[in-house]
Amino acid sequence: MKALCWQGVNELSVEQVPDPAILNAQDAIVKVTASTTCGSDLHLLGGYIPAMRAGDVIGHEFIGEIVDVGPEVSRHRPGDRVVVCSIIGCGRCWACRHDEWSLCENSNPNPGVTDLMWGGTTAGIFGYSHAMGGFRGSHAEYIRVPFVDYNAFTVPEGVSDLDALFASDAAPTGWMGAELGGVRPGDVVAVWGCGAVGQMAARAAMLLGAERVVAIDRYPERLAMTARHVGCEVIDYTSTDVTAELRERTGGRGPDVCVEAVGMEADSTGIQRVYDGVKQQLRLEQDRPIAVREAIHACRKGGSVFVLGVFAGFVDKFPLGALMNKGLTLRGAQQHGQRYIPKLLDRIAKGDLKTSYLATHTMTLDEGPKGYDMFKHKKDGCVRAVFRPWA
């Protein structure tokens, strides 16, 4: 079959790879009908995520049709149209039973890597390095889905592929940031990043009752898209002091909840951009925590900061003193998608949550390298490139 493969830093190619097969009794084979780029993929391309190997199939956010199932699969059958969570959960371990699916104790067959890096085992993720299980990704014609009864969700009639696609990752990730960040009716919420996840976090905050939501970015087309489709306030961080602007808009207090949806390659203006950029390139720090620092300083005393953006290792100049002395709550996680996907599909079906507009560019799988180049460099206003393997 045809698949989009990682070949090295900033190098992708479309290759022929063996078709997937049922390996375990709870597996399914899914024919991929749409698969989208994600900002976390750029960390793979940049070489910031360890344990990638040449030929690895990337991609983790997808929708498709089940074409084969293992003998112990009970909730799905061939022909089902399903959206699949990017995080793989076994459904039976302590973490999965407590709805903390990204902390699954059984789905990652390479637990030693994450034990060494982070002090604990985390779930497997499609197409996201051998540290996260070495599973083939979704930028392919077919994909094997382990524990399919827990990781695939039937798409309601009337919901299009493009609407359901983002329920795989972007929508549940954003919703989790708002919900676990503690958004309550009447809150003021600030979201760093107007990519797909940031926009979904902003929309989730509004649906959870926030009085005001402010999203922060620097790309005019993303700021305009967020204002138009999400309906929240926006700030261009290149044109103002974000912390001062947020204080001005909140009567001097700062936001109640701050959601960081940028990750390890955060950008900024001024000296910290140079400082963190040089240290990351020299591998003196693994991640650039620019947006996290700003969120901690901007948040009101006693407020909450939630980190949605992907981080892999160590950072420099972390404002622990501000976190402690302001009495902030800091949380973070990979998405617990299985907790949220069913209700998000219901909201999409009812029209409460719009997602298809995020797919700014649709192309064939053969155009995958071009799609990632557009996505990485924000060409032609690209927010997400969606690949149709069978187009």
Side-chain angles (χ1 to χ4, degrees):
M1 70 171 183
K2 190 182 298 183
L4 182 61
C5 301
W6 184 92
Q7 300 296 359
V9 174
N10 293 321
E11 185 178 350
L12 297 173
S13 65
V14 178
E15 306 288 346
Q16 288 291 325
V17 301
D19 289 350
I22 298 289
L23 300 181
N24 298 299
Q26 299 166 60
D27 288 352
I29 304 300
V30 172
K31 178 182 179 180
V32 179
T33 53
S35 181
T36 180
T37 59
C38 176
S40 58
D41 294 334
L42 300 182
H43 311 323
L44 300 177
L45 293 181
Y48 299 116
I49 302 295
M52 289 294 292
R53 300 175 189 169
D56 283 348
V57 180
I58 65 170
H60 57 262
E61 192 166 358
F62 64 103
I63 185 172
E65 177 188 337
I66 293 179
V67 295
D68 194 12
V69 296
E72 294 183 11
V73 174
S74 60
R75 299 178 185 175
H76 293 291
R77 67 182 70 179
D80 284 358
R81 186 169 66 115
V82 294
V83 61
V84 180
C85 184
S86 62
I87 301 289
I88 303 168
C90 73
R92 297 179 177 86
C93 70
W94 186 94
C96 290
R97 287 186 285 107
H98 285 79
D99 254 356
E100 295 179 339
W101 294 82
S102 69
L103 308 180
C104 178
E105 298 162 347
N106 296 321
S107 63
N108 185 347
N110 300 322
V113 180
T114 55
D115 277 341
L116 179 63
M117 291 171 60
W118 304 321
T121 302
T122 57
I125 302 177
F126 291 106
Y128 214 73
S129 88
H130 293 267
M132 310 308 293
F135 294 96
R136 279 189 187 172
S138 60
H139 295 338
E141 293 175 320
Y142 294 95
I143 186 170
R144 179 178 74 93
V145 177
F147 305 110
V148 69
D149 281 341
Y150 298 100
N151 299 307
F153 300 86
T154 302
V155 178
E157 291 293 329
V159 175
S160 72
D161 278 8
L162 281 184
D163 279 318
L165 171 61
F166 296 99
S168 171
D169 189 299
T173 300
W175 194 279
M176 181 185 71
E179 182 175 286
L180 298 189
V183 174
R184 295 176 294 185
D187 277 351
V188 177
V189 179
V191 179
W192 275 257
C194 290
V197 170
Q199 291 187 48
M200 291 296 98
R203 182 59 183 156
M206 296 173 72
L207 291 171
L208 289 171
E211 182 177 315
R212 296 180 73 180
V213 178
V214 184
I216 302 146
D217 207 299
R218 66 178 171 128
Y219 293 99
E221 62 275 10
R222 294 188 175 212
L223 292 165
M225 174 186 280
T226 304
R228 182 169 66 252
H229 290 283
V230 177
C232 67
E233 303 171 43
V234 296
I235 293 176
D236 178 353
Y237 70 73
T238 66
S239 65
T240 188
D241 180 319
V242 172
T243 300
E245 181 72 20
L246 289 171
R247 292 233 171 95
E248 177 69 23
R249 298 189 188 196
T250 57
R253 283 197 325 273
D256 302 288
V257 178
C258 294
V259 179
E260 192 275 357
V262 182
M264 67 169 69
E265 295 182 75
D267 209 343
S268 182
T269 58
I271 190 63
Q272 66 173 332
R273 178 190 184 199
V274 177
Y275 175 87
D276 282 301
V278 170
K279 293 204 72 171
Q280 188 180 49
Q281 291 305 310
L282 293 175
R283 299 303 191 260
L284 298 175
E285 70 172 345
Q286 290 169 282
D287 309 328
R288 300 198 301 260
I290 297 169
V292 176
R293 288 192 199 112
E294 192 166 75
I296 288 171
H297 281 288
C299 193
R300 72 160 171 84
K301 293 176 289 184
S304 172
V305 177
F306 199 94
V307 179
L308 280 180
V310 171
F311 288 84
F314 298 101
V315 301
D316 194 9
K317 301 296 185 291
F318 183 80
L320 186 58
L323 179 74
M324 180 268 172
N325 286 287
K326 291 175 67 178
L328 302 181
T329 299
L330 176 66
R331 298 189 68 178
Q334 294 274 9
Q335 63 137 340
H336 306 310
Q338 292 83 345
R339 184 194 300 192
Y340 301 108
I341 291 172
K343 65 183 179 184
L344 292 177
L345 287 172
D346 287 342
R347 284 186 176 273
I348 292 169
K350 293 174 183 176
D352 294 340
L353 184 65
K354 304 292 186 182
T355 59
S356 61
Y357 74 90
L358 297 167
T360 53
H361 296 74
T362 302
M363 52 191 68
T364 66
L365 190 57
D366 286 323
E367 297 174 291
K370 172 187 174 183
Y372 269 97
D373 180 66
M374 294 179 67
F375 178 55
K376 178 176 181 177
H377 298 289
K378 313 297 188 289
K379 295 179 180 178
D380 193 33
C382 184
V383 171
R384 285 294 185 93
V386 174
F387 305 126
R388 295 279 200 175
W390 300 94

